Amino acid sequence: MLVLPLKLRQGLVSAVLLLLLLPSSFLAIEQAFYRQLLTNAEQKMEVHMYSILSELNLINGKIELNNNTLAPDFYRPDSGLTAYVSEDQLLLWQSDSSLNQDFELPVIELVPGQHIFYTSEQQQQKYQILSIAFLFDTGDSAKPLAIHIVQDEQLLLAPHISFRNTLLKWFIGIGAGLSLLSILAYYWTTRPLTRLDFEIRQLEKGRQDHLTGNYPSELRGIKEDLNLLLANQNRQKQRYRNHLSDLAHALKTPVAVLRTSPLAQQPELKEQIDRITAMIEHQLKKASSSGQDIWKKQTPVLPLADKVSNALRKIYRDKDCQIDIQCEPTTFFRGDETDLMEMLGNLLDNACKACRRQVKLTVQPHPFSLTIEDDGPGIAPERRKELFQRGIRLDTYQEGHGVGLSIVAELVNSYSGMINVSESSLGGASFTLSFPADS
């Protein structure tokens, strides 16, 4: 399952809000304004309709109006506002403004007293129409008449376009302001997380030993818990090292006394004393390693590899060992320098002993892995599992590999890594140390 970073989540939420809320608000306001324009147009047309209705007269059997009381738009041709009076779709009267207009009366059925406001399209032109049906008293009878007030939609579009352009300018300004405010809010709210991430990286690099930043209440508990964890870890580690150091010093004196004894010259006793000495040194190295120190984890690999290889070239100058190192300068080992030195030193030393001339070190950064190869005789598959067993001695392994491999195995295991032994492309043995992605 993909887990998005908190900063990316906040950025996506802000972007979605801006991209959805602003356009939807713009459309809602624009449509509300247009509907209000239609409502106002209907109300004005009703006023015109009742004005026409009040001035309607029957003179010599003909319907006539006193045009002096009508709005000026009904006198001006092409004003966009016209009026018609009809009887059963038969035109009885029309305003002067309709003389140049090719408009056909709509075919609608209305009962007397009913009026309707609607939109009609003729010849690719839209009109807003208000129609009312009524009975006109002629004295002898009542005629069913209808009044139609017609307005060109262009009268609505002009204010609508003007309002939309003004609204668009305002929303562009509001969008720019909200975007700037969102960016500032983003940096302001994520700054504590950035600060915490920076301090943790400083802890990993060993540049500080506890968190010192001033954090909001939501992160203050995490800061205190991490500082408490670091303090307890450092105390336990120091106490562990002190105990092992005291034990080693306590054992060194009896071992030194035993070495001076004539009995110690016997091969069996000398071998056991050497093993005790080796075990003491091994445990001291193990105590000094930081495989369990999960914070100080930034050790550059290339300078350390160059240092080890230069020393080995001098030691094995008679063999003229060619040590090829393939490692990017920016590659880091997320662990202690002493541990990396121990692993590289043991494996490269073994490779130099076993090789004919060529040794190759390949470092992969993601995930971190070390591969040491040589062009020596190699290791038989049935012997590979024995290399890391406790108690296997150097002088029982004729091919030359095996020095310190138990120490290497323990160090790799302390970092939750794995060791794989295979055949090298150079013809000899290949040791690959693989570590988890977060190591």
Side-chain angles (χ1 to χ4, degrees):
M1 180 180 179
L2 179 62
V3 180
L4 297 178
L6 294 178
K7 294 181 179 180
L8 181 58
R9 295 182 187 183
Q10 184 175 354
L12 289 176
V13 170
S14 300
V16 168
L17 289 177
L18 287 175
L19 294 176
L20 290 182
L21 288 183
L22 284 181
S24 59
S25 300
F26 177 85
L27 293 176
I29 295 175
E30 182 192 26
Q31 290 301 312
F33 180 77
Y34 183 74
R35 284 193 290 269
Q36 186 61 42
L37 286 177
L38 288 177
T39 301
N40 293 339
E42 181 182 3
Q43 293 174 351
K44 290 180 180 180
M45 293 167 73
E46 283 184 1
V47 173
H48 296 318
M49 180 188 66
Y50 287 119
S51 176
I52 292 174
L53 188 60
S54 64
E55 297 297 331
L56 196 62
N57 295 313
L58 181 64
I59 301 175
N60 297 326
K62 292 182 61 177
I63 298 295
E64 293 186 2
L65 277 83
N66 184 6
N67 288 340
N68 295 330
T69 61
L70 298 182
D73 286 341
F74 289 111
Y75 308 144
R76 189 173 65 253
D78 300 325
S79 65
L81 184 64
T82 58
Y84 303 88
V85 178
S86 65
E87 179 184 3
D88 295 333
Q89 307 301 320
L90 177 63
L91 182 62
L92 302 179
W93 176 88
Q94 65 186 82
S95 63
D96 296 340
S97 58
S98 66
L99 295 179
N100 297 331
Q101 188 177 40
D102 186 13
F103 181 80
E104 296 181 2
L105 292 178
V107 180
I108 57 173
E109 295 183 1
L110 297 175
V111 297
Q114 180 185 5
H115 73 276
I116 183 173
F117 181 75
Y118 57 99
T119 299
S120 177
E121 183 174 355
Q122 295 185 18
Q123 299 178 358
Q124 298 181 349
Q125 178 64 45
K126 289 185 177 180
Y127 300 93
Q128 277 76 44
I129 305 174
L130 179 64
S131 299
I132 184 173
F134 62 96
L135 294 176
F136 183 75
D137 187 8
T138 62
D140 298 334
S141 62
K143 288 186 175 183
L145 303 181
I147 298 176
H148 308 280
I149 308 297
V150 181
Q151 177 178 284
D152 194 331
E153 192 184 38
Q154 294 298 326
L155 297 179
L156 294 181
L157 290 180
H160 181 217
I161 293 175
S162 176
F163 175 80
R164 183 173 57 190
N165 292 338
T166 303
L167 184 66
L168 182 61
K169 294 178 182 179
W170 275 98
F171 264 78
I172 291 175
I174 293 173
L178 288 178
S179 299
L180 178 61
L181 184 62
S182 298
I183 293 174
L184 294 176
Y186 170 81
Y187 282 106
W188 184 49
T189 54
T190 59
R191 186 175 180 182
L193 294 176
T194 303
R195 172 65 178 171
L196 181 61
D197 180 67
F198 173 76
E199 284 209 85
I200 291 178
R201 293 184 183 277
Q202 295 299 100
L203 289 172
E204 293 177 350
K205 296 177 181 178
R207 296 176 181 175
Q208 63 186 68
D209 55 4
H210 65 285
L211 303 177
T212 59
N214 186 19
Y215 297 101
S217 57
E218 293 83 359
L219 299 178
R220 199 171 297 138
I222 297 177
K223 168 193 170 183
E224 294 173 354
D225 291 342
L226 285 176
N227 282 337
L228 181 61
L229 175 64
L230 288 170
N232 289 336
Q233 183 193 36
N234 289 333
R235 283 196 298 268
Q236 291 178 0
K237 187 173 182 180
Q238 189 60 43
R239 187 162 52 247
Y240 175 68
R241 287 177 173 177
N242 291 339
H243 288 337
L244 282 182
S245 179
D246 293 342
L247 178 61
H249 285 294
L251 291 175
K252 279 185 177 181
T253 301
V255 171
V257 173
L258 288 175
R259 282 185 180 278
T260 61
S261 173
L263 297 175
Q265 304 305 316
Q266 298 180 13
E268 295 81 2
L269 292 179
K270 187 176 184 301
E271 179 183 348
Q272 298 303 319
I273 293 175
D274 290 340
R275 291 190 62 183
I276 293 173
T277 303
M279 291 177 63
I280 293 174
E281 293 177 354
H282 169 62
Q283 293 300 326
L284 284 176
K285 288 184 179 179
K286 184 178 178 182
S288 65
S289 73
S290 301
Q292 299 301 322
D293 191 345
I294 60 175
W295 299 107
K296 301 177 182 180
K297 301 182 179 178
Q298 297 291 335
T299 300
V301 178
L302 186 57
L304 199 61
D306 287 336
K307 181 179 178 180
V308 174
S309 61
N310 290 334
L312 291 174
R313 289 188 186 99
K314 295 177 182 178
I315 295 173
Y316 298 99
R317 59 180 176 272
D318 295 338
K319 276 182 116 174
D320 191 21
C321 286
Q322 302 296 321
I323 303 177
D324 179 24
I325 300 177
Q326 296 185 2
C327 175
E328 297 179 2
T330 57
T331 303
F332 290 89
F333 170 62
R334 295 174 67 86
D336 186 69
E337 180 179 349
T338 305
D339 297 344
L340 182 59
M341 176 75 79
E342 188 75 28
M343 291 184 286
L344 282 178
N346 277 312
L347 292 177
L348 286 175
D349 181 57
N350 287 343
C352 288
K353 288 181 178 179
C355 76
R356 294 184 178 90
R357 188 176 181 185
Q358 286 185 301
V359 174
K360 182 179 179 182
L361 168 63
T362 305
V363 183
Q364 297 292 338
H366 304 294
F368 184 81
S369 66
L370 301 169
T371 302
I372 294 92
E373 305 173 79
D374 62 66
D375 61 350
I379 303 174
E382 63 272 11
R383 297 294 307 274
R384 292 171 184 173
K385 292 184 179 180
E386 301 177 10
L387 293 175
F388 306 102
Q389 294 179 3
R390 187 178 297 274
I392 297 296
R393 295 177 54 183
L394 172 63
D395 54 7
T396 64
Y397 186 55
Q398 297 177 357
E399 286 79 0
H401 289 76
V403 175
L405 287 181
S406 61
I407 299 177
V408 174
E410 291 182 6
L411 288 174
V412 173
N413 183 65
S414 69
Y415 287 97
S416 302
M418 297 178 60
I419 302 179
N420 179 55
V421 183
S422 60
E423 184 177 348
S424 168
S425 59
L426 301 178
S430 174
F431 285 76
T432 300
L433 298 120
S434 303
F435 298 88
D438 58 349
S439 295

